[in-house]
């Protein structure tokens, strides 16, 4: 497959997955670029045992984990902590506040819980597809989904008030 067609087809999807792990837009873009460069240089190693999409997702997840373990990430986090800097806060529109709150709650979850939730709900993957991508048992995916929902529920309890 032509690399330009590959980038057009999968870049947005892989970006969202990278963002799930890194929680940083610029880093997610960098991860996706690394994924395509790696695929370009090692495309002959792709045996076609899984779909190309699954293969690229796995590379994206691995690159994201590499970033999270890197000194660059740890140094960035330390600098932010000691300078008291906050991540890029943008003025959100009123209709986006709910989505932002849900996203923030999901991003507070541990990576293992967050990844199954986002793959299941946002990417609309089946439990079997998630198990294949993450290389875990289907029962493990089901357990992680249940645990993630349980952790997320108290974070999303809204108080409804009625004006009388």
């Amino acid at each position: 497959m032509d690399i330009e067609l590959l980038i057009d087809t999968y870049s947005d999807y892989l970006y969202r997955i990278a963002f799930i792990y890194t929680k940083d837009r610029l880093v997610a873009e960098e991860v996706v670029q690394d994924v395509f460069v790696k695929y370009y240089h090692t495309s002959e190693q792709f045996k076609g045992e899984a779909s190309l999409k699954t293969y690229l997702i796995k590379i994206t997840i691995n690159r994201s984990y590499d970033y999270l373990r890197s000194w660059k990430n740890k140094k960035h986090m330390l600098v932010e902590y000691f300078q008291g800097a906050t991540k890029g806060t943008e003025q959100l529109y009123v209709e986006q506040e709910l989505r932002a709150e849900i996203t923030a709650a999901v991003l507070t979850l541990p990576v293992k819980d967050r990844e199954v939730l986002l793959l299941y709900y946002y990417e609309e993957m089946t439990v079997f597809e998630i198990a294949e991508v993450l290389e875990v048992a289907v029962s493990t995916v089901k357990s992680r989904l249940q645990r993630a929902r349980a952790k997320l529920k108290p974070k999303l309890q809204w108080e409804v008030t009625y004006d009388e």
Side-chain angles (χ1 to χ4, degrees):
M1 179 181 262
D2 181 30
I3 192 71
E4 291 174 5
L5 179 62
L6 198 70
I7 291 170
D8 289 341
T9 306
Y10 297 113
S11 61
D12 290 338
Y13 184 76
L14 297 178
Y15 168 80
R16 289 187 302 228
I17 290 173
F19 183 76
I20 290 168
Y21 288 89
T22 62
K23 301 180 189 179
D24 187 308
R25 293 172 191 227
L26 295 175
V27 172
E29 289 175 5
E30 186 178 327
V31 166
V32 172
Q33 289 174 359
D34 288 348
V35 167
F36 286 120
V37 168
K38 179 176 170 104
Y39 178 78
Y40 179 76
H41 290 295
T42 62
S43 61
E44 67 279 349
Q45 293 178 356
F46 177 63
K47 298 175 186 163
E49 294 173 358
S51 71
L52 182 58
K53 183 177 179 180
T54 304
Y55 182 70
L56 292 173
I57 290 170
K58 191 61 182 170
I59 294 173
T60 304
I61 291 171
N62 288 338
R63 287 286 181 201
S64 298
Y65 277 135
D66 290 346
Y67 172 76
L68 292 173
R69 287 189 299 260
S70 72
W71 169 247
K72 182 179 177 182
N73 176 46
K74 292 175 183 163
K75 179 181 171 187
H76 177 73
M77 290 172 59
L78 284 172
V79 168
E80 275 189 1
Y81 176 76
F82 286 115
Q83 290 180 348
T86 59
K87 290 204 173 196
T89 54
E90 301 173 354
Q91 189 65 303
L92 299 174
Y93 296 103
V94 173
E95 65 269 10
Q96 293 176 332
E97 288 179 6
L98 180 60
R99 175 178 272 178
E101 188 175 336
I102 292 170
T103 301
V106 169
L107 291 176
T108 62
L109 297 174
V111 173
K112 287 184 178 186
D113 296 334
R114 187 171 63 226
E115 68 188 351
V116 292
L117 267 181
L118 292 169
L119 291 173
Y120 187 78
Y121 288 107
Y122 288 90
E123 303 305 329
E124 298 179 355
M125 295 176 75
T126 66
V127 173
F128 298 103
E129 291 171 331
I130 297 169
E132 182 181 332
V133 167
L134 298 179
E135 296 178 349
V136 296
V138 172
S139 60
T140 303
V141 173
K142 289 179 181 178
S143 309
R144 288 181 184 175
L145 261 174
Q146 184 177 12
R147 181 177 58 236
R149 287 181 193 129
K151 288 180 181 177
L152 196 57
K153 188 176 182 178
K155 295 179 183 193
L156 297 177
Q157 296 294 326
W158 294 292
E159 183 176 317
V160 179
T161 59
Y162 296 100
D163 292 332
E164 295 179 4

